[in-house]
Amino acid sequence: MTDLTGRTVVVTGGNNGLGLGMAEGVGRAGAQVVIWSRTATRNEKAVAALAEAGVRASAVACDTSDEASVDKAMAETTSRYGAVDCMIANAGIAAAAPYAETSLDDWHRVLRTNLDGTFLCTRAAARHFIERGEGGAMVVVSSTISRYGGAGQAAYTTSKSGLVGLGRTLAVELARHRVRVNILVPGWVVTDMNTHLREDEAFLRATTARTPARRWAQPNEFHEVAAFLADPTLTYHTGNEVVVDGGYTVF
């Protein structure tokens, strides 16, 4: 099994849904988990839930779309734990609207969080890894929507597609610094963010029928894959898109 004992893993947006599932996964493998998110009450609740699961976790208040906030969070995290070994860039939002009715403000809001935020967090991690000189790992969280598109989700789809390109580029550029960068491509996962989709019976029925596993995933089904992607012993594994979607993209 993956052993992350002595490692510090940052999970952005790790206080809920898929992020919380991945935070628990790396924590169960022995890592010290640090959640970066701007919602203090949800951070506290997540840290308490992780503690109940036997995971060592803390939270740092961070608006991942704000450069100064990200740099401050990295400084606080490294000051507290000495180093960061893995950055899981997961924080993201969605804003559904017909394309012709999508406002520029909503477009910018989604891209600012999903694309700009991931850029800022992975850049902060890259700078830390390069300066430290001991390598590291990054996980860029995209979505299967990057492969097939989605009506009413222009901004979200564009941002998640951009993250695939960013992850590939980082894998190439940072390899000489022994930094591994892989892209996690999850399918349909039960989270608070998509409650409205699951309440649409026709949509839920259609997506479930198209998924060979015949169901949506639960966040805890990402425990092992998160730990795997953070594993420092996998020194030759980089630039890979790891799809975890119950077979959705091949059916």
Side-chain angles (χ1 to χ4, degrees):
M1 295 181 65
T2 302
D3 184 4
L4 300 178
T5 302
R7 304 282 169 171
T8 298
V9 178
V10 170
V11 184
T12 71
N15 61 10
N16 192 34
L18 177 60
L20 182 58
M22 292 189 290
E24 183 172 344
V26 295
R28 284 180 178 272
Q32 169 66 53
V33 178
V34 185
I35 292 170
W36 285 9
S37 184
R38 60 188 172 190
T39 309
T41 54
R42 186 173 285 181
N43 287 350
E44 293 171 3
K45 183 178 179 180
V47 169
L50 290 170
E52 290 181 4
V55 172
R56 293 178 299 118
S58 65
V60 173
C62 179
D63 178 352
T64 57
S65 66
D66 180 83
E67 184 173 20
S69 183
V70 169
D71 290 343
K72 181 180 179 182
M74 179 59 78
E76 182 175 340
T77 303
T78 54
S79 175
R80 187 184 301 178
Y81 298 109
V84 169
D85 299 286
C86 176
M87 166 67 69
I88 300 180
N90 163 76
I93 62 172
Y99 187 64
E101 299 172 18
T102 299
S103 70
L104 186 59
D105 285 345
D106 280 344
W107 174 269
H108 283 159
R109 182 168 62 88
V110 173
L111 267 64
R112 184 167 56 248
T113 297
N114 298 4
L115 264 181
D116 294 358
T118 300
F119 159 70
L120 291 171
C121 292
T122 54
R123 187 185 66 176
R127 288 172 171 173
H128 172 66
F129 294 153
I130 292 169
E131 180 180 2
R132 188 183 177 204
E134 297 181 18
M138 296 188 202
V139 181
V140 174
V141 181
S142 179
S143 165
T144 52
I145 203 168
S146 67
R147 297 192 169 196
Y148 58 79
Q153 294 286 350
Y156 185 73
T157 303
T158 300
S159 69
K160 291 300 184 177
S161 299
L163 291 179
V164 174
L166 176 63
R168 289 172 177 170
T169 298
L170 294 180
V172 172
E173 182 170 342
L174 299 177
R176 67 180 182 273
H177 299 289
R178 291 185 294 152
V179 177
R180 300 180 304 106
V181 184
N182 291 292
I183 305 152
L184 178 63
V185 185
W188 295 107
V189 184
V190 176
T191 67
D192 290 344
M193 191 170 74
N194 57 41
T195 298
H196 65 292
L197 296 177
R198 288 180 284 111
E199 291 175 343
D200 183 333
E201 292 184 8
F203 183 85
L204 180 62
R205 186 166 54 250
T207 53
T208 301
R210 181 176 161 177
T211 305
R214 292 296 187 268
R215 61 181 178 82
W216 286 30
Q218 295 293 329
N220 62 12
E221 293 182 273
F222 288 80
H223 285 181
E224 286 74 16
V225 71
F228 168 80
L229 292 172
D231 188 345
T233 68
L234 302 175
T235 54
Y236 207 59
H237 182 228
T238 194
N240 185 211
E241 292 176 47
V242 179
V243 181
V244 184
D245 67 349
Y248 190 87
T249 54
V250 298
F251 186 51

